[in-house]
């Protein structure tokens, strides 16, 4: 099932890659033609989306490798590492846009706004809305960390493009051209914030931050009458690879065979209730009436 998910994730990333490159090239060409720093900056932001898709494809390719002797838990964290690389790319691009914007304050260039450029921006905005919605929906369906993160990144393009659109309309209506580099700085702020979100979520996975409320796990386990108590619940991972371990207190007189089937039933119920990609490890302890946890 997981291998099939990886193939679907790759297919989505290829589709989004071509869409992002089309949007980026269109924005950069139009932005350069009309001498709009904000639109050109937005184009490079979109270009970073395409580059992030390439990184995602490579990352998924490595993450989809089967378990081996050196990687008994698999290679799924390479998907997270690829996301962090995307965050680093965004910071570099944001820095370049900031430097360009600062130079525009001392060397102001009045952008030439045309109806065609506005139409082009509206078209790219519509494409970005489609890309974000499609990628986020498939990402949630496949429990794909990189698709959901990438859709959050692309979503920032929507707000950025709206800001650029308002800037170009403002210049066309007679506002001073200095609002163009100001808008570029705002664009860079969106990019930096996108990078921050990626680093924050990626780091959470790498440091094994809990992603499921332990009360949810406890409530599921306690539905089994054989379970007299549960403690030391831990969980880590991401949507495609979740690990849970816990200590269960059970009747000391039930058979080993019964205990074995019980742990499998608990794992199956957790998978059906919380996430199908969960792996559960249970440590069994005997329960006595006069013994506390």
């Amino acid at each position: 099932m997981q291998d099939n998910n990886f193939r679907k994730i790759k297919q989505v990333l290829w589709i989004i890659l071509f869409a992002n490159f089309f949007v980026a090239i269109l924005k950069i060409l139009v932005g350069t033609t009309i001498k709009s720093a904000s639109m050109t900056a937005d184009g490079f932001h979109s270009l970073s989306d395409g580059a992030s898709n390439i990184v995602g494809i490579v990352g998924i390719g490595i993450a989809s490798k089967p378990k081996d002797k050196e990687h008994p838990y698999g290679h799924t964290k390479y998907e997270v590492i690829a996301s962090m690389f995307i965050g680093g790319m965004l910071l570099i691009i944001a820095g370049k846009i900031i430097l360009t914007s600062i130079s525009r304050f001392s060397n102001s260039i009045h952008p030439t706004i045309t109806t065609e450029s506005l139409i082009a921006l509206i078209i790219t905005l519509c494409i970005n809305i489609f890309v974000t919605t499609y990628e986020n929906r498939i990402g949630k369906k496949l429990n794909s960390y990189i698709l959901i993160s990438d859709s959050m990144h692309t979503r920032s393009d929507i707000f950025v493009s709206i800001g650029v659109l308002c800037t170009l309309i403002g210049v066309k209506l007679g506002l001073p051209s200095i609002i163009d580099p100001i808008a570029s700085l705002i664009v860079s702020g969106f990019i930096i914030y996108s990078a921050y979100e990626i680093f924050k979520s990626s780091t959470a996975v790498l440091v094994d931050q809990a992603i499921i409320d332990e009360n949810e796990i406890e409530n599921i386990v306690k539905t089994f009458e054989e379970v007299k108590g549960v403690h030391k619940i831990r969980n880590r991972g991401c949507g495609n690879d979740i690990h849970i371990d816990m200590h269960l207190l059970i009747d000391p007189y039930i058979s080993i065979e019964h205990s074995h089937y019980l742990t499998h039933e608990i794992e199956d119920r957790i998978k059906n209730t919380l996430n199908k990609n969960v792996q559960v490890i249970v440590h069994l302890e005997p329960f006595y009436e006069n013994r506390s946890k």
Side-chain angles (χ1 to χ4, degrees):
M1 177 65 71
Q2 195 173 66
D3 290 339
N4 188 44
N5 278 2
F6 281 132
R7 283 194 295 270
K8 290 179 180 178
I9 292 169
K10 279 186 180 181
Q11 291 173 359
V12 173
L13 286 172
W14 277 110
I15 293 172
I16 303 302
L17 171 64
F18 288 115
N20 281 329
F21 274 149
F22 172 78
V23 168
I25 292 171
L26 185 59
K27 286 180 180 178
I28 292 172
L29 287 177
V30 175
T32 303
T33 302
I34 67 175
K35 299 178 181 178
S36 169
S38 58
M39 190 169 187
T40 303
D42 192 16
F44 279 108
H45 187 192
S46 297
L47 190 63
S48 74
D49 286 342
S52 71
N53 296 143
I54 295 176
V55 173
I57 291 170
V58 174
I60 286 296
I62 300 175
S64 62
K65 288 184 177 180
K67 299 175 183 179
D68 54 39
K69 186 176 181 180
E70 288 77 24
H71 305 86
Y73 291 96
H75 300 76
T76 53
K77 282 190 176 180
Y78 278 99
E79 182 178 0
V80 181
I81 294 173
S83 296
M84 295 193 73
F85 189 80
I86 292 170
M89 292 168 56
L90 288 178
L91 290 178
I92 293 173
I93 292 173
K96 181 179 179 181
I97 292 174
I98 290 172
L99 292 176
T100 302
S101 300
I102 292 174
S103 67
R104 283 293 182 95
F105 281 109
S106 56
N107 301 286
S108 180
I109 298 177
H110 188 80
T112 304
I113 313 300
T114 64
T115 303
E116 290 78 8
S117 64
L118 295 177
I119 292 175
L121 187 56
I122 292 173
I123 291 173
T124 59
L125 178 61
C126 293
I127 294 174
N128 278 334
I129 292 173
F130 164 76
V131 166
T132 300
T133 304
Y134 173 70
E135 193 171 22
N136 186 263
R137 178 172 58 83
I138 300 299
K140 289 180 178 179
K141 181 180 179 181
L142 301 178
N143 289 312
S144 169
Y145 179 83
I146 200 163
L147 285 184
I148 294 174
S149 298
D150 195 50
S151 70
M152 292 170 59
H153 174 204
T154 308
R155 188 187 305 159
S156 69
D157 276 358
I158 296 174
F159 299 106
V160 170
S161 296
I162 291 174
V164 174
L165 182 61
C166 293
T167 299
L168 295 182
I169 293 175
V171 171
K172 192 172 181 64
L173 293 176
L175 293 178
S177 58
I178 196 173
I179 67 169
D180 190 43
I182 292 175
S184 295
L185 290 176
I186 295 174
V187 168
S188 65
F190 275 101
I191 298 174
I192 292 172
Y193 184 73
S194 295
Y196 162 75
E197 284 191 315
I198 291 173
F199 279 122
K200 180 181 178 181
S201 57
S202 300
T203 302
V205 176
L206 293 178
V207 299
D208 293 333
Q209 179 176 310
I211 62 171
I212 301 175
D213 186 349
E214 69 175 58
N215 290 325
E216 293 185 56
I217 301 172
E218 183 175 356
N219 290 336
I220 295 172
V221 172
K222 285 186 174 180
T223 59
F224 291 85
E225 61 180 19
E226 296 95 336
V227 177
K228 309 302 181 182
V230 55
H231 61 129
K232 294 184 179 179
I233 300 174
R234 300 186 300 177
N235 69 90
R236 61 183 176 85
C238 55
N240 265 331
D241 185 35
I242 300 175
H243 296 263
I244 297 175
D245 60 83
M246 70 189 89
H247 289 217
L248 296 184
L249 295 168
I250 64 172
D251 186 334
Y253 302 108
I254 66 174
S255 68
I256 294 177
E257 184 179 19
H258 187 173
S259 300
H260 172 74
Y261 287 122
L262 174 64
T263 56
H264 278 289
E265 288 176 0
I266 290 172
E267 181 175 10
D268 289 341
R269 188 168 298 180
I270 289 175
K271 285 183 176 182
N272 293 331
T273 306
L274 298 179
N275 191 304
K276 63 183 178 181
N277 296 308
V278 168
Q279 298 181 54
V280 181
I281 296 178
V282 176
H283 175 78
L284 299 177
E285 298 178 3
F287 172 79
Y288 300 97
E289 291 293 341
N290 61 348
R291 174 181 170 180
S292 61
K293 291 184 180 180

